Every structure is written in structure tokens, then in C-alpha cells.
Amino acid sequence: MKKVLILEDEASIRSFVVINLKRAGYTALEADTGEKALQLIAENPDIKVSILDIMLPDMDGFDVCRRIRATNAQMGIVMLTARAQEMDKVTGLMTGADDYITKPFSPAELVARIDALYRRIGDSREENPNEMVSGPFILNTKNRTLTKNGERIRITNVEYAIMKMFIENPDKAMSREEILANVWGKDYFGELKIVDVNIRRLRMKIEDDATNPAYITTVWGYGYKWSA
Ligand code: CA
């Protein structure tokens, strides 16, 4: 899934951008305030490109850009500028933006800029193959750590193996036998119940509400499914 964030308080421009991004194969996340944008970015570390308007109700787009850059050097950032704001181009690039688009812009221009930036980010990310990203989670396969929204979650070796299996198989219903073979190995002679016990414990660590799980859902009579 190729995720792009659009921060723009004018609903008509925002929906114009969203429609054209979706047509070009992107998943668009929308924010109408700087706070909302920063929250979405924290929750979705797999957003690779953000489009930031400058005039916003709660803060200016340059502040949003600076705050993203304080923790994220990799994201592609495009500023939306108005014709009257020629200086914004310079300021935007100074605060860490990668590109700017001047309003009004055509769908073709928008998509071409985002495609180009996305390709560049995609290439550079291949230098860091140790991170598996799924929704708010990052699983580091080198040091075997898990974070959610940037917060570290302590997991056991078995829980690590379960997370890795899930992230490698998004939205796929996995049978309990398949999970057992995957995590404990094909020669394991234990009971299937060990799968349920470990899933229950993992849910308590990673779900917002373990009694109403959103990431690891139960596939009744079969097994479990990962969605993030
Ligand atoms: Ca605006």
C-alpha cells in the first residue's frame, strides 16, 4: 500500500488531491489541521510522502514540516504554495521540504511530482531492509525489537516470530496449524492451544483494547488474521 498524507484545510482542494492520488494508485490519508497530520504520521510510519499546505488554522505548514523532520529524515515532503507566496518556496526548502507545488495545479502535475518523490524515497528505503512496517508497527529484524507509534513494546522470541509471520502475511487468514508450523517449527508436537495462549498475550501487548482486537482478529473455527 502506497500511503500519502494530504494536509489541507480547504475541503475542495483536499478532495481534489485525494481523488487524483487514489486514481494514481495511492492510499490518501487526510488531515485538516497540523495536529491531526502529526497524529496520523505517528500512527502510520509507512506514510512515505506528505503534502503540506502552508496556511492552516492551528499552525503553519513550515512548523509541521520542521516537526516531521525532527524525527523523520526519510519522508518525502511537498509544500503546497500559493502564487503570491514566492518566498515560501525558499522557506519550505530551508525547513526540510523536498519539493513544492504552486496552486492552482493540474492533476497530471500533482501525480508526476508525487510519483517522482515516491520513487526516490522507495529507492533510499531499500538501504534499510531491517525494518518491516505494518500500520503503526515497526518490527526490526536485526535487533528483534517492536515499536508501535514509535513506542517500544517488549516481546518474547515467540511473540517476535508471530509478529514477523503476521507482517509477512497481511490480511491473510492463517490456520492455527499453519501458525504452529511457522512459529514453533514443523516438528513441534505440542498442542494447538499454545497458539491461542501466545496470541492472547500478544494482543494484551499490542492492541489498543485486547478484548476488542483490531490488529489480530479471530477467524472463527480456523485461526487468526493480521490487519494493520
Ligand atoms: Ca489553507
Side-chain angles (χ1 to χ4, degrees), residues 187-218:
D187 302 324
Y188 183 77
F189 284 105
E191 288 184 52
L192 277 177
K193 211 178 288 172
I194 187 93
V195 173
D196 304 313
V197 171
N198 275 276
I199 296 281
R200 199 182 311 144
R201 206 179 47 212
L202 187 54
R203 275 173 170 164
M204 288 170 55
K205 295 184 179 183
I206 66 160
E207 296 283 351
D208 301 333
D209 174 6
T211 59
N212 186 21
Y215 303 111
I216 305 174
T217 50
T218 301

PDB file of all heavy atoms in Angstrom, residues 187-218:
ATOM      1  N   ASP A 187       8.214 -29.784  13.309  1.00  0.00           N
ATOM      2  CA  ASP A 187       8.394 -30.981  14.135  1.00  0.00           C
ATOM      3  C   ASP A 187       7.852 -30.823  15.544  1.00  0.00           C
ATOM      4  O   ASP A 187       7.993 -31.709  16.371  1.00  0.00           O
ATOM      5  CB  ASP A 187       9.890 -31.328  14.211  1.00  0.00           C
ATOM      6  CG  ASP A 187      10.467 -31.543  12.827  1.00  0.00           C
ATOM      7  OD1 ASP A 187       9.742 -32.084  11.976  1.00  0.00           O
ATOM      8  OD2 ASP A 187      11.633 -31.151  12.597  1.00  0.00           O
ATOM      9  N   TYR A 188       7.230 -29.694  15.827  1.00  0.00           N
ATOM     10  CA  TYR A 188       6.734 -29.453  17.180  1.00  0.00           C
ATOM     11  C   TYR A 188       5.518 -30.320  17.450  1.00  0.00           C
ATOM     12  O   TYR A 188       4.591 -30.388  16.647  1.00  0.00           O
ATOM     13  CB  TYR A 188       6.392 -27.970  17.332  1.00  0.00           C
ATOM     14  CG  TYR A 188       5.931 -27.596  18.715  1.00  0.00           C
ATOM     15  CD1 TYR A 188       6.850 -27.455  19.760  1.00  0.00           C
ATOM     16  CD2 TYR A 188       4.586 -27.381  18.981  1.00  0.00           C
ATOM     17  CE1 TYR A 188       6.432 -27.104  21.029  1.00  0.00           C
ATOM     18  CE2 TYR A 188       4.158 -27.036  20.251  1.00  0.00           C
ATOM     19  CZ  TYR A 188       5.081 -26.903  21.269  1.00  0.00           C
ATOM     20  OH  TYR A 188       4.657 -26.558  22.518  1.00  0.00           O
ATOM     21  N   PHE A 189       5.537 -30.997  18.601  1.00  0.00           N
ATOM     22  CA  PHE A 189       4.449 -31.922  18.898  1.00  0.00           C
ATOM     23  C   PHE A 189       3.468 -31.396  19.937  1.00  0.00           C
ATOM     24  O   PHE A 189       2.631 -32.127  20.419  1.00  0.00           O
ATOM     25  CB  PHE A 189       5.010 -33.281  19.357  1.00  0.00           C
ATOM     26  CG  PHE A 189       5.542 -34.079  18.207  1.00  0.00           C
ATOM     27  CD1 PHE A 189       6.907 -34.210  17.996  1.00  0.00           C
ATOM     28  CD2 PHE A 189       4.656 -34.697  17.324  1.00  0.00           C
ATOM     29  CE1 PHE A 189       7.390 -34.944  16.926  1.00  0.00           C
ATOM     30  CE2 PHE A 189       5.143 -35.423  16.247  1.00  0.00           C
ATOM     31  CZ  PHE A 189       6.507 -35.547  16.052  1.00  0.00           C
ATOM     32  N   GLY A 190       3.610 -30.113  20.295  1.00  0.00           N
ATOM     33  CA  GLY A 190       2.733 -29.560  21.328  1.00  0.00           C
ATOM     34  C   GLY A 190       1.299 -29.404  20.851  1.00  0.00           C
ATOM     35  O   GLY A 190       0.954 -29.771  19.727  1.00  0.00           O
ATOM     36  N   GLU A 191       0.481 -28.857  21.731  1.00  0.00           N
ATOM     37  CA  GLU A 191      -0.930 -28.683  21.401  1.00  0.00           C
ATOM     38  C   GLU A 191      -1.177 -27.356  20.695  1.00  0.00           C
ATOM     39  O   GLU A 191      -0.473 -26.386  20.910  1.00  0.00           O
ATOM     40  CB  GLU A 191      -1.765 -28.706  22.679  1.00  0.00           C
ATOM     41  CG  GLU A 191      -1.868 -30.076  23.299  1.00  0.00           C
ATOM     42  CD  GLU A 191      -2.791 -30.013  24.511  1.00  0.00           C
ATOM     43  OE1 GLU A 191      -3.924 -29.515  24.368  1.00  0.00           O
ATOM     44  OE2 GLU A 191      -2.363 -30.460  25.576  1.00  0.00           O
ATOM     45  N   LEU A 192      -2.236 -27.344  19.902  1.00  0.00           N
ATOM     46  CA  LEU A 192      -2.611 -26.122  19.188  1.00  0.00           C
ATOM     47  C   LEU A 192      -2.935 -24.980  20.143  1.00  0.00           C
ATOM     48  O   LEU A 192      -2.840 -23.817  19.797  1.00  0.00           O
ATOM     49  CB  LEU A 192      -3.840 -26.396  18.309  1.00  0.00           C
ATOM     50  CG  LEU A 192      -3.572 -27.032  16.947  1.00  0.00           C
ATOM     51  CD1 LEU A 192      -4.902 -27.301  16.250  1.00  0.00           C
ATOM     52  CD2 LEU A 192      -2.713 -26.124  16.080  1.00  0.00           C
ATOM     53  N   LYS A 193      -3.312 -25.377  21.384  1.00  0.00           N
ATOM     54  CA  LYS A 193      -3.697 -24.368  22.372  1.00  0.00           C
ATOM     55  C   LYS A 193      -2.565 -23.366  22.641  1.00  0.00           C
ATOM     56  O   LYS A 193      -2.821 -22.218  22.998  1.00  0.00           O
ATOM     57  CB  LYS A 193      -4.077 -25.084  23.678  1.00  0.00           C
ATOM     58  CG  LYS A 193      -5.135 -24.359  24.475  1.00  0.00           C
ATOM     59  CD  LYS A 193      -5.505 -25.140  25.731  1.00  0.00           C
ATOM     60  CE  LYS A 193      -6.309 -26.406  25.424  1.00  0.00           C
ATOM     61  NZ  LYS A 193      -6.498 -27.261  26.610  1.00  0.00           N
ATOM     62  N   ILE A 194      -1.329 -23.796  22.444  1.00  0.00           N
ATOM     63  CA  ILE A 194      -0.182 -22.907  22.677  1.00  0.00           C
ATOM     64  C   ILE A 194      -0.269 -21.673  21.773  1.00  0.00           C
ATOM     65  O   ILE A 194       0.143 -20.573  22.142  1.00  0.00           O
ATOM     66  CB  ILE A 194       1.159 -23.658  22.455  1.00  0.00           C
ATOM     67  CG1 ILE A 194       2.355 -22.801  22.863  1.00  0.00           C
ATOM     68  CG2 ILE A 194       1.355 -24.097  21.023  1.00  0.00           C
ATOM     69  CD1 ILE A 194       2.794 -23.024  24.253  1.00  0.00           C
ATOM     70  N   VAL A 195      -0.862 -21.869  20.592  1.00  0.00           N
ATOM     71  CA  VAL A 195      -1.037 -20.746  19.661  1.00  0.00           C
ATOM     72  C   VAL A 195      -1.978 -19.714  20.284  1.00  0.00           C
ATOM     73  O   VAL A 195      -1.663 -18.527  20.373  1.00  0.00           O
ATOM     74  CB  VAL A 195      -1.606 -21.225  18.299  1.00  0.00           C
ATOM     75  CG1 VAL A 195      -1.954 -20.035  17.401  1.00  0.00           C
ATOM     76  CG2 VAL A 195      -0.610 -22.159  17.604  1.00  0.00           C
ATOM     77  N   ASP A 196      -3.124 -20.195  20.799  1.00  0.00           N
ATOM     78  CA  ASP A 196      -4.123 -19.287  21.385  1.00  0.00           C
ATOM     79  C   ASP A 196      -3.571 -18.542  22.598  1.00  0.00           C
ATOM     80  O   ASP A 196      -3.822 -17.361  22.783  1.00  0.00           O
ATOM     81  CB  ASP A 196      -5.375 -20.078  21.780  1.00  0.00           C
ATOM     82  CG  ASP A 196      -5.952 -20.839  20.590  1.00  0.00           C
ATOM     83  OD1 ASP A 196      -6.074 -20.234  19.521  1.00  0.00           O
ATOM     84  OD2 ASP A 196      -6.246 -22.044  20.727  1.00  0.00           O
ATOM     85  N   VAL A 197      -2.807 -19.279  23.422  1.00  0.00           N
ATOM     86  CA  VAL A 197      -2.240 -18.668  24.630  1.00  0.00           C
ATOM     87  C   VAL A 197      -1.299 -17.526  24.250  1.00  0.00           C
ATOM     88  O   VAL A 197      -1.358 -16.438  24.817  1.00  0.00           O
ATOM     89  CB  VAL A 197      -1.489 -19.733  25.469  1.00  0.00           C
ATOM     90  CG1 VAL A 197      -0.714 -19.072  26.610  1.00  0.00           C
ATOM     91  CG2 VAL A 197      -2.462 -20.770  26.003  1.00  0.00           C
ATOM     92  N   ASN A 198      -0.459 -17.773  23.262  1.00  0.00           N
ATOM     93  CA  ASN A 198       0.501 -16.735  22.857  1.00  0.00           C
ATOM     94  C   ASN A 198      -0.163 -15.561  22.151  1.00  0.00           C
ATOM     95  O   ASN A 198       0.239 -14.419  22.320  1.00  0.00           O
ATOM     96  CB  ASN A 198       1.601 -17.346  21.984  1.00  0.00           C
ATOM     97  CG  ASN A 198       2.705 -17.937  22.830  1.00  0.00           C
ATOM     98  OD1 ASN A 198       3.605 -17.234  23.265  1.00  0.00           O
ATOM     99  ND2 ASN A 198       2.604 -19.222  23.115  1.00  0.00           N
ATOM    100  N   ILE A 199      -1.190 -15.852  21.358  1.00  0.00           N
ATOM    101  CA  ILE A 199      -1.924 -14.768  20.684  1.00  0.00           C
ATOM    102  C   ILE A 199      -2.601 -13.882  21.730  1.00  0.00           C
ATOM    103  O   ILE A 199      -2.577 -12.655  21.637  1.00  0.00           O
ATOM    104  CB  ILE A 199      -2.984 -15.338  19.699  1.00  0.00           C
ATOM    105  CG1 ILE A 199      -2.322 -16.108  18.559  1.00  0.00           C
ATOM    106  CG2 ILE A 199      -3.908 -14.225  19.192  1.00  0.00           C
ATOM    107  CD1 ILE A 199      -1.729 -15.283  17.447  1.00  0.00           C
ATOM    108  N   ARG A 200      -3.180 -14.525  22.757  1.00  0.00           N
ATOM    109  CA  ARG A 200      -3.869 -13.759  23.797  1.00  0.00           C
ATOM    110  C   ARG A 200      -2.890 -12.807  24.489  1.00  0.00           C
ATOM    111  O   ARG A 200      -3.181 -11.639  24.719  1.00  0.00           O
ATOM    112  CB  ARG A 200      -4.491 -14.720  24.822  1.00  0.00           C
ATOM    113  CG  ARG A 200      -5.584 -14.069  25.668  1.00  0.00           C
ATOM    114  CD  ARG A 200      -6.135 -15.027  26.700  1.00  0.00           C
ATOM    115  NE  ARG A 200      -6.487 -16.316  26.124  1.00  0.00           N
ATOM    116  CZ  ARG A 200      -6.333 -17.503  26.754  1.00  0.00           C
ATOM    117  NH1 ARG A 200      -5.830 -17.551  27.968  1.00  0.00           N
ATOM    118  NH2 ARG A 200      -6.679 -18.624  26.168  1.00  0.00           N
ATOM    119  N   ARG A 201      -1.691 -13.320  24.788  1.00  0.00           N
ATOM    120  CA  ARG A 201      -0.700 -12.489  25.477  1.00  0.00           C
ATOM    121  C   ARG A 201      -0.192 -11.367  24.560  1.00  0.00           C
ATOM    122  O   ARG A 201      -0.020 -10.229  24.974  1.00  0.00           O
ATOM    123  CB  ARG A 201       0.468 -13.354  25.950  1.00  0.00           C
ATOM    124  CG  ARG A 201       1.183 -12.747  27.148  1.00  0.00           C
ATOM    125  CD  ARG A 201       2.309 -13.629  27.625  1.00  0.00           C
ATOM    126  NE  ARG A 201       3.127 -14.078  26.503  1.00  0.00           N
ATOM    127  CZ  ARG A 201       3.755 -15.250  26.467  1.00  0.00           C
ATOM    128  NH1 ARG A 201       3.642 -16.099  27.476  1.00  0.00           N
ATOM    129  NH2 ARG A 201       4.495 -15.583  25.425  1.00  0.00           N
ATOM    130  N   LEU A 202       0.003 -11.701  23.285  1.00  0.00           N
ATOM    131  CA  LEU A 202       0.478 -10.698  22.331  1.00  0.00           C
ATOM    132  C   LEU A 202      -0.563  -9.584  22.151  1.00  0.00           C
ATOM    133  O   LEU A 202      -0.220  -8.402  22.070  1.00  0.00           O
ATOM    134  CB  LEU A 202       0.783 -11.385  20.989  1.00  0.00           C
ATOM    135  CG  LEU A 202       1.456 -10.544  19.899  1.00  0.00           C
ATOM    136  CD1 LEU A 202       2.739  -9.893  20.402  1.00  0.00           C
ATOM    137  CD2 LEU A 202       1.756 -11.416  18.674  1.00  0.00           C
ATOM    138  N   ARG A 203      -1.831  -9.984  22.118  1.00  0.00           N
ATOM    139  CA  ARG A 203      -2.903  -8.978  21.991  1.00  0.00           C
ATOM    140  C   ARG A 203      -2.863  -7.976  23.146  1.00  0.00           C
ATOM    141  O   ARG A 203      -3.093  -6.791  22.962  1.00  0.00           O
ATOM    142  CB  ARG A 203      -4.273  -9.659  21.982  1.00  0.00           C
ATOM    143  CG  ARG A 203      -4.702 -10.144  20.615  1.00  0.00           C
ATOM    144  CD  ARG A 203      -5.971 -10.938  20.740  1.00  0.00           C
ATOM    145  NE  ARG A 203      -6.574 -11.243  19.459  1.00  0.00           N
ATOM    146  CZ  ARG A 203      -7.507 -12.182  19.290  1.00  0.00           C
ATOM    147  NH1 ARG A 203      -7.920 -12.887  20.331  1.00  0.00           N
ATOM    148  NH2 ARG A 203      -8.010 -12.407  18.101  1.00  0.00           N
ATOM    149  N   MET A 204      -2.574  -8.484  24.365  1.00  0.00           N
ATOM    150  CA  MET A 204      -2.528  -7.580  25.516  1.00  0.00           C
ATOM    151  C   MET A 204      -1.403  -6.563  25.378  1.00  0.00           C
ATOM    152  O   MET A 204      -1.472  -5.470  25.914  1.00  0.00           O
ATOM    153  CB  MET A 204      -2.397  -8.381  26.812  1.00  0.00           C
ATOM    154  CG  MET A 204      -3.714  -9.092  27.109  1.00  0.00           C
ATOM    155  SD  MET A 204      -3.670 -10.288  28.427  1.00  0.00           S
ATOM    156  CE  MET A 204      -3.029  -9.330  29.755  1.00  0.00           C
ATOM    157  N   LYS A 205      -0.378  -6.924  24.619  1.00  0.00           N
ATOM    158  CA  LYS A 205       0.751  -6.012  24.449  1.00  0.00           C
ATOM    159  C   LYS A 205       0.557  -5.024  23.300  1.00  0.00           C
ATOM    160  O   LYS A 205       0.979  -3.885  23.375  1.00  0.00           O
ATOM    161  CB  LYS A 205       2.038  -6.806  24.194  1.00  0.00           C
ATOM    162  CG  LYS A 205       2.460  -7.665  25.373  1.00  0.00           C
ATOM    163  CD  LYS A 205       3.795  -8.335  25.096  1.00  0.00           C
ATOM    164  CE  LYS A 205       4.225  -9.169  26.289  1.00  0.00           C
ATOM    165  NZ  LYS A 205       5.548  -9.788  26.083  1.00  0.00           N
ATOM    166  N   ILE A 206      -0.090  -5.474  22.229  1.00  0.00           N
ATOM    167  CA  ILE A 206      -0.095  -4.625  21.024  1.00  0.00           C
ATOM    168  C   ILE A 206      -1.433  -3.972  20.695  1.00  0.00           C
ATOM    169  O   ILE A 206      -1.470  -2.985  19.986  1.00  0.00           O
ATOM    170  CB  ILE A 206       0.376  -5.409  19.771  1.00  0.00           C
ATOM    171  CG1 ILE A 206      -0.622  -6.505  19.404  1.00  0.00           C
ATOM    172  CG2 ILE A 206       1.784  -5.981  19.978  1.00  0.00           C
ATOM    173  CD1 ILE A 206      -0.482  -6.959  17.962  1.00  0.00           C
ATOM    174  N   GLU A 207      -2.534  -4.538  21.196  1.00  0.00           N
ATOM    175  CA  GLU A 207      -3.845  -3.990  20.834  1.00  0.00           C
ATOM    176  C   GLU A 207      -4.164  -2.760  21.693  1.00  0.00           C
ATOM    177  O   GLU A 207      -3.735  -2.676  22.839  1.00  0.00           O
ATOM    178  CB  GLU A 207      -4.947  -5.045  21.042  1.00  0.00           C
ATOM    179  CG  GLU A 207      -4.836  -6.274  20.153  1.00  0.00           C
ATOM    180  CD  GLU A 207      -5.297  -6.015  18.716  1.00  0.00           C
ATOM    181  OE1 GLU A 207      -5.861  -4.937  18.444  1.00  0.00           O
ATOM    182  OE2 GLU A 207      -5.099  -6.918  17.880  1.00  0.00           O
ATOM    183  N   ASP A 208      -4.959  -1.824  21.152  1.00  0.00           N
ATOM    184  CA  ASP A 208      -5.447  -0.700  21.959  1.00  0.00           C
ATOM    185  C   ASP A 208      -6.412  -1.242  23.019  1.00  0.00           C
ATOM    186  O   ASP A 208      -6.424  -0.796  24.149  1.00  0.00           O
ATOM    187  CB  ASP A 208      -6.184   0.324  21.086  1.00  0.00           C
ATOM    188  CG  ASP A 208      -5.270   0.878  19.991  1.00  0.00           C
ATOM    189  OD1 ASP A 208      -4.040   0.899  20.211  1.00  0.00           O
ATOM    190  OD2 ASP A 208      -5.782   1.275  18.932  1.00  0.00           O
ATOM    191  N   ASP A 209      -7.236  -2.220  22.605  1.00  0.00           N
ATOM    192  CA  ASP A 209      -8.188  -2.852  23.512  1.00  0.00           C
ATOM    193  C   ASP A 209      -8.149  -4.355  23.231  1.00  0.00           C
ATOM    194  O   ASP A 209      -8.682  -4.819  22.228  1.00  0.00           O
ATOM    195  CB  ASP A 209      -9.597  -2.283  23.259  1.00  0.00           C
ATOM    196  CG  ASP A 209     -10.672  -2.998  24.075  1.00  0.00           C
ATOM    197  OD1 ASP A 209     -10.316  -3.852  24.916  1.00  0.00           O
ATOM    198  OD2 ASP A 209     -11.858  -2.698  23.867  1.00  0.00           O
ATOM    199  N   ALA A 210      -7.489  -5.100  24.135  1.00  0.00           N
ATOM    200  CA  ALA A 210      -7.271  -6.534  23.888  1.00  0.00           C
ATOM    201  C   ALA A 210      -8.576  -7.322  23.854  1.00  0.00           C
ATOM    202  O   ALA A 210      -8.640  -8.400  23.270  1.00  0.00           O
ATOM    203  CB  ALA A 210      -6.324  -7.118  24.947  1.00  0.00           C
ATOM    204  N   THR A 211      -9.643  -6.779  24.479  1.00  0.00           N
ATOM    205  CA  THR A 211     -10.914  -7.504  24.465  1.00  0.00           C
ATOM    206  C   THR A 211     -11.664  -7.276  23.146  1.00  0.00           C
ATOM    207  O   THR A 211     -12.614  -7.976  22.831  1.00  0.00           O
ATOM    208  CB  THR A 211     -11.836  -7.054  25.631  1.00  0.00           C
ATOM    209  OG1 THR A 211     -12.062  -5.647  25.503  1.00  0.00           O
ATOM    210  CG2 THR A 211     -11.189  -7.356  26.970  1.00  0.00           C
ATOM    211  N   ASN A 212     -11.210  -6.278  22.400  1.00  0.00           N
ATOM    212  CA  ASN A 212     -11.838  -5.984  21.106  1.00  0.00           C
ATOM    213  C   ASN A 212     -10.723  -5.759  20.074  1.00  0.00           C
ATOM    214  O   ASN A 212     -10.509  -4.650  19.604  1.00  0.00           O
ATOM    215  CB  ASN A 212     -12.729  -4.741  21.265  1.00  0.00           C
ATOM    216  CG  ASN A 212     -13.520  -4.458  20.009  1.00  0.00           C
ATOM    217  OD1 ASN A 212     -13.729  -5.354  19.174  1.00  0.00           O
ATOM    218  ND2 ASN A 212     -13.917  -3.213  19.836  1.00  0.00           N
ATOM    219  N   PRO A 213      -9.981  -6.834  19.753  1.00  0.00           N
ATOM    220  CA  PRO A 213      -8.758  -6.663  18.958  1.00  0.00           C
ATOM    221  C   PRO A 213      -9.013  -6.146  17.541  1.00  0.00           C
ATOM    222  O   PRO A 213      -9.985  -6.543  16.897  1.00  0.00           O
ATOM    223  CB  PRO A 213      -8.147  -8.072  18.925  1.00  0.00           C
ATOM    224  CG  PRO A 213      -9.251  -8.995  19.280  1.00  0.00           C
ATOM    225  CD  PRO A 213     -10.213  -8.230  20.130  1.00  0.00           C
ATOM    226  N   ALA A 214      -8.136  -5.259  17.096  1.00  0.00           N
ATOM    227  CA  ALA A 214      -8.268  -4.683  15.754  1.00  0.00           C
ATOM    228  C   ALA A 214      -7.181  -5.207  14.817  1.00  0.00           C
ATOM    229  O   ALA A 214      -7.383  -5.278  13.612  1.00  0.00           O
ATOM    230  CB  ALA A 214      -8.180  -3.156  15.839  1.00  0.00           C
ATOM    231  N   TYR A 215      -6.009  -5.552  15.370  1.00  0.00           N
ATOM    232  CA  TYR A 215      -4.893  -5.978  14.517  1.00  0.00           C
ATOM    233  C   TYR A 215      -4.883  -7.492  14.317  1.00  0.00           C
ATOM    234  O   TYR A 215      -4.790  -7.969  13.199  1.00  0.00           O
ATOM    235  CB  TYR A 215      -3.562  -5.507  15.116  1.00  0.00           C
ATOM    236  CG  TYR A 215      -3.511  -4.012  15.319  1.00  0.00           C
ATOM    237  CD1 TYR A 215      -3.501  -3.457  16.590  1.00  0.00           C
ATOM    238  CD2 TYR A 215      -3.511  -3.152  14.214  1.00  0.00           C
ATOM    239  CE1 TYR A 215      -3.485  -2.082  16.774  1.00  0.00           C
ATOM    240  CE2 TYR A 215      -3.496  -1.783  14.384  1.00  0.00           C
ATOM    241  CZ  TYR A 215      -3.477  -1.251  15.664  1.00  0.00           C
ATOM    242  OH  TYR A 215      -3.471   0.105  15.838  1.00  0.00           O
ATOM    243  N   ILE A 216      -4.971  -8.236  15.432  1.00  0.00           N
ATOM    244  CA  ILE A 216      -5.047  -9.701  15.311  1.00  0.00           C
ATOM    245  C   ILE A 216      -6.499 -10.093  15.539  1.00  0.00           C
ATOM    246  O   ILE A 216      -6.992 -10.102  16.664  1.00  0.00           O
ATOM    247  CB  ILE A 216      -4.155 -10.406  16.357  1.00  0.00           C
ATOM    248  CG1 ILE A 216      -2.713  -9.919  16.267  1.00  0.00           C
ATOM    249  CG2 ILE A 216      -4.232 -11.926  16.156  1.00  0.00           C
ATOM    250  CD1 ILE A 216      -1.804 -10.467  17.361  1.00  0.00           C
ATOM    251  N   THR A 217      -7.200 -10.396  14.460  1.00  0.00           N
ATOM    252  CA  THR A 217      -8.602 -10.781  14.604  1.00  0.00           C
ATOM    253  C   THR A 217      -8.745 -12.296  14.518  1.00  0.00           C
ATOM    254  O   THR A 217      -7.925 -12.981  13.906  1.00  0.00           O
ATOM    255  CB  THR A 217      -9.489 -10.110  13.531  1.00  0.00           C
ATOM    256  OG1 THR A 217      -8.893 -10.311  12.252  1.00  0.00           O
ATOM    257  CG2 THR A 217      -9.615  -8.620  13.779  1.00  0.00           C
ATOM    258  N   THR A 218      -9.787 -12.809  15.164  1.00  0.00           N
ATOM    259  CA  THR A 218     -10.042 -14.245  15.181  1.00  0.00           C
ATOM    260  C   THR A 218     -10.820 -14.636  13.931  1.00  0.00           C
ATOM    261  O   THR A 218     -11.777 -13.961  13.559  1.00  0.00           O
ATOM    262  CB  THR A 218     -10.870 -14.613  16.429  1.00  0.00           C
ATOM    263  OG1 THR A 218     -10.131 -14.205  17.581  1.00  0.00           O
ATOM    264  CG2 THR A 218     -11.133 -16.108  16.503  1.00  0.00           C
TER     265      THR A 218
END
